[in-house]
Structure formats: C-alpha cells, structure tokens
Amino acid sequence: MKTSSSAVHPSLKLDRRVTTSSVIGTVIEWYEFYVYGTMAALVLGQLFFPSGDPIVESLSAFAAFAVGFLARPIGAAFFGHFGDRIGRKKMLVYSLVGMGAATFAIGILPTYATIGVAAPILLVLCRLIQGFSIGGEWGGAMLMSVEHAPEGRKNFAGSLVQVGSPAGLVLATIVVALVNMMPEDAFLSWGWRLPFLISAVLVIVGLFIRLKTHESPEFEKVRDEGERVKVPLLKTFTSAPLQVLTGIGLTLAPFVFFYFLTTFLLTFGVNVLQFDSQLLLWSVALAAGLEIITMPLAGLIADKYGRDRIFIIGAISLLLIAFPVIFLLVTNPGNPLILILVMIGAMTIVHPLTYALLSTMFSDLFPTNIRYTGVSLAFQFGGVVGGFTPLILTAFLTSDASSVLIAGYIAFLSLLTVLAGISTAVIGAKRRRGEIAEEVVLEGSVR
C-alpha cells in the first residue's frame, strides 16, 4: 500500500458509511476500555481488592487492568487470522459484541464484600474477555477505513479511526465524572456500575451501523484473485517478523504517554501530587476533547507533507518532553494551570503526531493478505507494554527516585518509537520501489 505525501485533492471523497462505522465502533470499544481504566484508578481496587492501603489497592486494580492486555495478542491472532481469511466486516461485529458483553458483566458483578475472593477472579475473567475482543477491533476498523480510502486521503481516513480513542475517553471520563459527583455511599454501592451498564446501549447502536457496511475492496481483490493465505499467523511470523517488531515499536511512545496521562496520573495525581480527582478527570476530558480536533488535523498534515516525516517529528517531541512533563508536575503539586498545560501540550498537541498516523504506518508494513493479522499483532503486543505502564509506574512510587524512574521509562520507550519510525520509513520506501512484494503469495496460499 502506498502512502501519498502529496496535497489532498478535494475531489477524492471517503466512503462516509464505512468511515462512520469504523469511527463509531472504535468510540464504543474505547469507551468500554477506558471506563475500566478510570474506575480502576478511582474505586475498583477498594471494592474488589480491599486491603486498607490505597497504593496496594491501586496496584491490584492496575494488575487486573494489565491482565486484560495479555489477552489482546491472542485476540489479535484469532481475529487477524479470520479477518484475513473470511473478511474484515464479520470479525468487527464479533469483536464489538464480545467487548460489550464483558463490559456489561463488570457492571453487574458482586464485589469482594459480597462473595469474597470470587469477585476479583470474575473481574479478571471479564478483563480477559475485554482484552481478547479488543485485540481484533482496532486492526479491523482501521483497515476498513484505510483500505476504502483513495490515495492522498489514507492518512486522513486512518486518523479519523484514531479519533475513536480520545472520543471514547471523553465519553468515559464525562460519565465517570458525573457518577463520581454522587454521594460517596451511593457511588460505592451502585453508582460505579452505571458507566459499565451504559455500554449495552452503545453496543446496540454500534452494531446497527456496523452491519450496514460493505467489505474492504482490497480484501475482496485478494479473495477474488485467490491470494488469501491459509495460516496468516504463521505467514506473518515467517515472512514479516521485522515488520511486527517495528510495528510494536511504533506504539510504545503514544501508548505510554496516553496511559500515563489518562490512567496512572489519576492515582499519582491524587495520592502524591495533591490534585483533586474531579480536576484530574475534567482536565483529561478537556485534553482528549481537543484531541478529537487535532487528530484529523495530524492526518491532513501527513497527507500533505509526508506521513513518515510527521510521525518521526512527533516521536522525537514525545522523547524531548518526557522529563519536563514530570518535572512540572512534581514541582507544582496541586497547581491546576500546570496540570492543564501538561495535558493540552502532551496529549492535544504532541500525541496526535504519532497516534493519528499509526493506521497508515502499520498498513505500509504489511501486504494485504496478512495485513489484518500483522497490524493487529503488532498493535496489541505494543498494547501489552502500554497496559502495564500504570502498574510499572505505580511500582516506581515506592522508590525515592520515583520521578526520575518515571521520566526515564517514558523517555526510553519514546526513543524506541523514534527508531521504529525510521525503520518503517525505510520499509515503506523499499515496498514502493518494488524491493518488497506487495502480496505474500507462497505455497500456503489459497488458490
């Protein structure tokens, strides 16, 4: 797949139904995902892992949060295999149903006070189902949007899918913030369940839209020409292992920054930096709300000036701000202006330069007939690192050098993303010159 760096042609229109389906579907998926992350920081540790120590409870809740990420590569392999074999659309329907069912189940789970140790076990099981389902969501939604888009509009189409993440976060944060305003007794007894239960309505809306879309034309071309691969997972690891590793590297900086700002900071900010929980929630909502605007702008800029160039600039920027961000927060505890400055600067302005372009960066790494598998595996393995970020950073709080460790961890992963961005640019250039085959047609192909 070629990625154009030329100016956008106004006459090149996106398939509105497909793009809308992809965006709304990912908004719902990420809403369900972020509701758990936010509630883990606020209340799930107390309800499901009671110990009397807020840090220990947070560690336990974040451990359950991280466990869900372990299932994501398994889901990526499953959905990727069948997405490359039978089509993108069907697997997107199944992923949405699985994620919605698990999220709704969390909303009706009895707590530790009611059924004891069975409560955290059931919670972890729901997280595993969530992780498995989301393992196939992003890759399929991204491919449906990008593979339908014309050349010169692919970065913009991909960035619209990425809007699902901040939009889902805004929705989740607003809902959680509203229920968090309830009297404490009501919130702890039943109010915390509402954000999870609301997901059922969202899933019904998402399914209605998603079922009306049509299959990716690039997949249909591969299917019609008999170039589907029998075992896409095996072919991905045997023919494109470097691309998988490179794809993982692409996700590290955008993931670690996002989870630092939206999940870990809710614990770090309240317990260490003396920020009010409501201030933290609304600042996250503000920054993510603005990112809904800046994400597509990053895609438009990439279509005009070159995707690889913009991505690498974004990754370098994340590397450079790692230590200043931590320094500002630690030296200005409880300062709302500093918090908003950090949120908007890091999340709204810099973060989209990488995250918005992951769709086409990943697409350029893999040929069409193993693309669903390749992009899903790379994205979800990277997600494992991102998912463990709150747990790792919370563990750093036990050290006297916690600020340096936190900043150093973020900076190191950002450096890896810079290197991965450069590697992707090289791989894409080779494919465009014909040095890498556009399709993997080997002895295991379906003819």
Side-chain angles (χ1 to χ4, degrees):
M1 174 180 292
K2 296 180 181 179
T3 303
S4 172
S5 60
S6 61
V8 174
H9 299 288
S11 61
L12 299 179
K13 296 182 179 181
L14 302 180
D15 186 316
R16 188 170 299 176
R17 178 179 292 180
V18 170
T19 303
T20 301
S21 168
S22 296
V23 173
I24 292 180
T26 52
V27 168
I28 295 169
E29 294 282 348
W30 287 114
Y31 164 81
E32 295 171 338
F33 183 77
Y34 290 130
V35 159
Y36 181 90
T38 306
M39 283 300 193
L42 293 177
V43 73
L44 293 183
Q46 179 182 350
L47 294 175
F48 288 87
F49 307 94
S51 68
D53 184 334
I55 296 296
V56 173
E57 290 174 352
S58 294
L59 278 171
S60 299
F62 284 145
F65 180 74
V67 163
F69 282 84
L70 296 178
R72 287 170 63 164
I74 301 174
F78 175 85
F79 286 101
H81 170 82
F82 289 103
D84 282 327
R85 291 276 291 140
I86 65 176
R88 285 50 164 139
K89 176 182 173 178
K90 288 182 179 179
M91 304 318 296
L92 283 174
V93 171
Y94 299 147
S95 70
L96 184 61
V97 171
M99 187 75 176
T103 304
F104 184 83
I106 292 175
I108 60 175
L109 282 182
T111 63
Y112 188 92
T114 304
I115 61 172
V117 71
I121 292 174
L122 290 174
L123 180 65
V124 169
L125 177 61
C126 289
R127 282 291 299 142
L128 288 172
I129 296 173
Q130 276 188 323
F132 179 84
S133 299
I134 205 171
E137 166 62 27
W138 182 84
M142 177 274 288
L143 290 179
M144 285 288 282
S145 183
V146 172
E147 290 182 348
H148 274 90
E151 294 294 343
R153 299 284 278 175
K154 290 188 179 294
N155 290 301
F156 179 61
S159 69
L160 290 176
V161 176
Q162 299 299 72
V163 166
S165 180
L169 176 59
V170 169
L171 182 59
T173 302
I174 290 175
V175 171
V176 172
L178 289 175
V179 298
N180 195 38
M181 295 172 66
M182 299 171 61
E184 184 176 2
D185 290 344
F187 176 68
L188 291 176
S189 63
W190 58 271
W192 68 271
R193 301 180 183 276
L194 296 178
F196 295 100
L197 298 178
I198 289 172
S199 67
V201 178
L202 299 177
V203 168
I204 293 172
V205 174
L207 283 174
F208 177 78
I209 296 172
R210 187 158 280 181
L211 287 170
K212 289 182 175 294
T213 61
H214 49 277
E215 186 56 80
S216 158
E218 294 190 25
F219 171 78
E220 289 182 332
K221 179 176 182 291
V222 166
R223 181 190 60 198
D224 294 343
E225 295 179 358
E227 294 180 344
R228 285 177 294 171
V229 175
K230 282 186 177 179
V231 188
L233 180 64
L234 178 62
K235 291 304 179 187
T236 299
F237 281 119
T238 56
S239 65
L242 175 61
Q243 288 91 319
V244 172
L245 291 175
T246 301
I248 293 171
L250 294 174
T251 68
L252 297 180
F255 274 178
V256 72
F257 256 96
F258 203 70
Y259 289 117
F260 166 76
L261 293 170
T262 62
T263 303
F264 169 73
L265 196 55
L266 295 179
T267 292
F268 183 48
V270 171
N271 295 327
V272 179
L273 301 180
Q274 304 167 24
F275 285 107
D276 177 73
S277 61
Q278 283 290 315
L279 172 64
L280 284 164
L281 286 170
W282 288 113
S283 65
V284 168
L286 172 64
L290 293 173
E291 194 176 28
I292 294 173
I293 300 172
T294 58
M295 199 80 77
L297 287 177
L300 289 172
I301 292 171
D303 276 327
K304 184 172 183 179
Y305 296 106
R307 180 208 64 200
D308 297 334
R309 180 184 306 159
I310 299 302
F311 183 92
I312 292 170
I313 290 173
I316 292 173
S317 299
L318 290 176
L319 170 62
L320 294 178
I321 67 173
F323 278 91
V325 161
I326 304 302
F327 175 79
L328 284 172
L329 291 172
V330 171
T331 57
N332 296 275
N335 189 320
L337 293 178
I338 292 297
L339 176 64
I340 293 173
L341 173 66
V342 166
M343 283 290 186
I344 292 178
M347 186 187 298
T348 304
I349 298 175
V350 180
H351 182 255
L353 298 178
T354 55
Y355 190 76
L357 307 181
L358 283 179
S359 296
T360 49
M361 293 288 282
F362 273 54
S363 294
D364 216 23
L365 287 173
F366 302 97
T368 308
N369 54 2
I370 60 168
R371 186 173 290 149
Y372 200 149
T373 303
V375 300
S376 296
L377 284 172
F379 188 81
Q380 302 306 341
F381 273 120
V384 171
V385 179
F388 275 84
T389 292
L391 179 63
I392 292 170
L393 298 186
T394 301
F396 287 160
L397 297 180
T398 60
S399 170
D400 292 335
S402 59
S403 298
V404 175
L405 291 173
I406 291 170
Y409 179 81
I410 294 172
F412 174 69
L413 294 185
S414 297
L415 175 61
L416 295 181
T417 295
V418 173
L419 298 176
I422 296 172
S423 177
T424 302
V426 172
I427 292 172
K430 287 184 176 181
R431 174 166 286 118
R432 287 188 288 273
R433 291 196 302 266
E435 297 175 24
I436 299 177
E438 178 60 20
E439 306 297 343
V440 177
V441 184
L442 301 173
E443 67 278 2
S445 299
V446 178
R447 291 291 184 180

